[in-house]
Coordinates of all heavy atoms in Angstrom, one line a residue:
M3 N 0.9 -1.2 0.0 CA 0.0 0.0 0.0 C 0.9 1.2 0.0 O 1.9 1.3 0.7 CB -0.9 0.0 1.2 CG -0.3 -0.2 2.6 SD -1.4 -0.3 4.0 CE -1.6 1.5 4.3
Q4 N 0.5 2.2 -0.8 CA 1.3 3.4 -0.9 C 1.2 4.1 0.5 O 0.2 4.0 1.2 CB 0.7 4.3 -1.9 CG 1.5 5.6 -2.2 CD 0.9 6.4 -3.3 OE1 -0.3 6.8 -3.2 NE2 1.6 6.6 -4.4
K5 N 2.3 4.8 0.9 CA 2.3 5.6 2.1 C 1.0 6.4 2.3 O 0.6 7.1 1.4 CB 3.5 6.5 2.1 CG 4.0 7.0 3.4 CD 5.3 7.7 3.2 CE 6.0 8.1 4.3 NZ 5.5 7.8 5.6
V6 N 0.3 6.3 3.4 CA -0.9 7.0 3.7 C -0.5 8.4 4.1 O 0.2 8.6 5.1 CB -1.7 6.4 4.8 CG1 -2.9 7.3 5.2 CG2 -2.2 5.0 4.4
T7 N -0.9 9.4 3.3 CA -0.6 10.8 3.7 C -1.8 11.6 3.9 O -1.8 12.8 4.1 CB 0.3 11.5 2.6 OG1 -0.4 11.3 1.3 CG2 1.7 10.9 2.5
G8 N -3.0 10.9 4.0 CA -4.2 11.7 4.3 C -5.4 10.7 4.6 O -5.3 9.5 4.2
R9 N -6.4 11.2 5.3 CA -7.6 10.4 5.6 C -8.8 11.2 5.0 O -8.8 12.4 5.1 CB -7.7 10.2 7.1 CG -6.7 9.3 7.7 CD -6.8 9.3 9.2 NE -8.2 9.1 9.7 CZ -8.8 7.9 9.9 NH1 -8.0 6.8 9.7 NH2 -10.0 7.8 10.3
S10 N -9.8 10.5 4.6 CA -10.9 11.2 4.1 C -11.6 12.0 5.2 O -12.3 13.0 4.9 CB -12.0 10.2 3.5 OG -12.4 9.2 4.5
D11 N -11.4 11.7 6.5 CA -12.0 12.4 7.5 C -11.1 13.5 8.2 O -11.5 14.1 9.1 CB -12.6 11.5 8.6 CG -11.7 10.5 9.2 OD1 -10.5 10.6 8.8 OD2 -12.1 9.7 10.0
D12 N -9.8 13.6 7.7 CA -9.0 14.7 8.2 C -8.7 15.7 7.1 O -7.9 16.7 7.2 CB -7.7 14.3 8.8 CG -6.6 13.8 7.9 OD1 -6.8 13.8 6.7 OD2 -5.6 13.3 8.3
M13 N -9.5 15.6 6.0 CA -9.4 16.5 4.8 C -10.0 17.8 5.2 O -11.1 17.9 5.7 CB -10.0 15.9 3.6 CG -9.9 16.7 2.3 SD -10.5 15.8 0.9 CE -12.3 15.9 1.2
I14 N -9.3 18.9 4.9 CA -9.8 20.3 5.1 C -10.4 20.7 3.8 O -9.7 20.7 2.8 CB -8.7 21.2 5.6 CG1 -8.1 20.7 6.9 CG2 -9.3 22.6 5.7 CD1 -6.8 21.4 7.2
I15 N -11.6 21.2 3.8 CA -12.2 21.8 2.5 C -12.2 23.3 2.8 O -13.0 23.8 3.6 CB -13.6 21.2 2.2 CG1 -13.5 19.7 2.0 CG2 -14.1 21.9 0.9 CD1 -14.9 19.1 1.8
L16 N -11.3 24.0 2.1 CA -11.1 25.4 2.3 C -11.5 26.2 1.0 O -10.7 26.1 0.0 CB -9.7 25.8 2.8 CG -9.5 27.2 3.3 CD1 -10.1 27.4 4.7 CD2 -8.0 27.5 3.3
R17 N -12.6 26.8 1.0 CA -13.0 27.6 -0.2 C -13.0 26.7 -1.4 O -12.5 27.1 -2.5 CB -12.2 28.9 -0.4 CG -12.2 29.8 0.8 CD -11.5 31.1 0.6 NE -10.1 31.0 0.5 CZ -9.3 31.0 1.6 NH1 -9.8 31.1 2.8 NH2 -8.0 30.9 1.4
G18 N -13.5 25.5 -1.3 CA -13.6 24.6 -2.4 C -12.3 23.8 -2.7 O -12.4 23.0 -3.7
V19 N -11.2 24.0 -2.0 CA -10.0 23.2 -2.3 C -9.8 22.2 -1.2 O -9.9 22.5 0.0 CB -8.8 24.2 -2.3 CG1 -7.5 23.4 -2.5 CG2 -9.0 25.2 -3.4
N20 N -9.5 20.9 -1.6 CA -9.3 19.9 -0.6 C -7.8 19.9 -0.2 O -6.9 19.9 -1.0 CB -9.6 18.5 -1.2 CG -11.0 18.4 -1.6 OD1 -11.9 19.1 -1.2 ND2 -11.3 17.4 -2.4
I21 N -7.6 20.0 1.2 CA -6.2 20.1 1.7 C -6.0 19.0 2.8 O -6.9 18.8 3.6 CB -6.0 21.5 2.3 CG1 -6.3 22.6 1.3 CG2 -4.5 21.6 2.8 CD1 -6.5 23.9 1.9
F22 N -4.9 18.4 2.8 CA -4.5 17.5 3.9 C -3.3 18.1 4.7 O -2.5 18.8 4.1 CB -4.1 16.1 3.4 CG -5.2 15.4 2.7 CD1 -5.4 15.4 1.4 CD2 -6.1 14.7 3.5 CE1 -6.4 14.7 0.8 CE2 -7.2 14.0 3.0 CZ -7.3 14.0 1.6
P23 N -3.3 18.0 6.0 CA -2.2 18.5 6.8 C -0.8 18.1 6.2 O 0.2 18.9 6.3 CB -2.4 18.0 8.2 CG -3.9 17.8 8.2 CD -4.3 17.3 6.9
T24 N -0.7 16.9 5.7 CA 0.6 16.5 5.2 C 1.1 17.3 4.0 O 2.3 17.5 3.7 CB 0.6 15.0 4.7 OG1 -0.6 14.8 3.9 CG2 0.6 14.1 5.9
Q25 N 0.2 17.9 3.2 CA 0.5 18.8 2.1 C 1.2 20.1 2.7 O 2.2 20.5 2.1 CB -0.7 19.2 1.3 CG -1.3 18.1 0.5 CD -2.5 18.5 -0.2 OE1 -3.6 18.6 0.4 NE2 -2.4 18.8 -1.5
V26 N 0.7 20.6 3.8 CA 1.3 21.7 4.4 C 2.7 21.3 5.0 O 3.7 22.1 4.8 CB 0.4 22.3 5.5 CG1 1.1 23.4 6.3 CG2 -0.9 22.8 5.0
E27 N 2.8 20.2 5.6 CA 4.1 19.7 6.1 C 5.1 19.6 5.0 O 6.3 20.0 5.2 CB 3.9 18.3 6.7 CG 5.2 17.6 7.2 CD 4.9 16.2 7.7 OE1 4.4 16.0 8.8 OE2 5.2 15.3 6.9
E28 N 4.7 19.1 3.8 CA 5.6 19.0 2.7 C 6.2 20.3 2.3 O 7.4 20.5 2.0 CB 4.9 18.3 1.5 CG 5.8 17.6 0.6 CD 5.1 16.5 -0.2 OE1 3.9 16.7 -0.5 OE2 5.7 15.5 -0.5
Q29 N 5.4 21.4 2.3 CA 5.8 22.7 1.9 C 6.7 23.3 3.0 O 7.7 23.9 2.8 CB 4.7 23.7 1.6 CG 3.7 23.2 0.5 CD 4.4 22.8 -0.7 OE1 5.3 23.5 -1.2 NE2 4.0 21.6 -1.3
L30 N 6.3 23.1 4.3 CA 7.1 23.6 5.4 C 8.5 23.1 5.4 O 9.5 23.8 5.7 CB 6.4 23.2 6.7 CG 7.1 23.4 8.1 CD1 7.3 24.9 8.3 CD2 6.4 22.8 9.2

């Protein structure tokens, strides 16, 4: 299984964009 970097229930929907905390971590 590919590394899990998000869950359907920790997804942030912000002004129509789907965001996972790991995406922010990657940029940080």
Side-chain angles (χ1 to χ4, degrees):
M3 50 183 277
Q4 191 180 54
K5 198 172 191 0
V6 174
T7 53
R9 293 172 51 86
S10 60
D11 54 3
D12 72 5
M13 184 172 71
I14 302 163
I15 303 175
L16 192 74
R17 300 187 292 276
V19 180
N20 297 344
I21 307 162
F22 294 99
T24 48
Q25 291 175 284
V26 174
E27 176 186 280
E28 206 157 32
Q29 304 309 314
L30 170 65

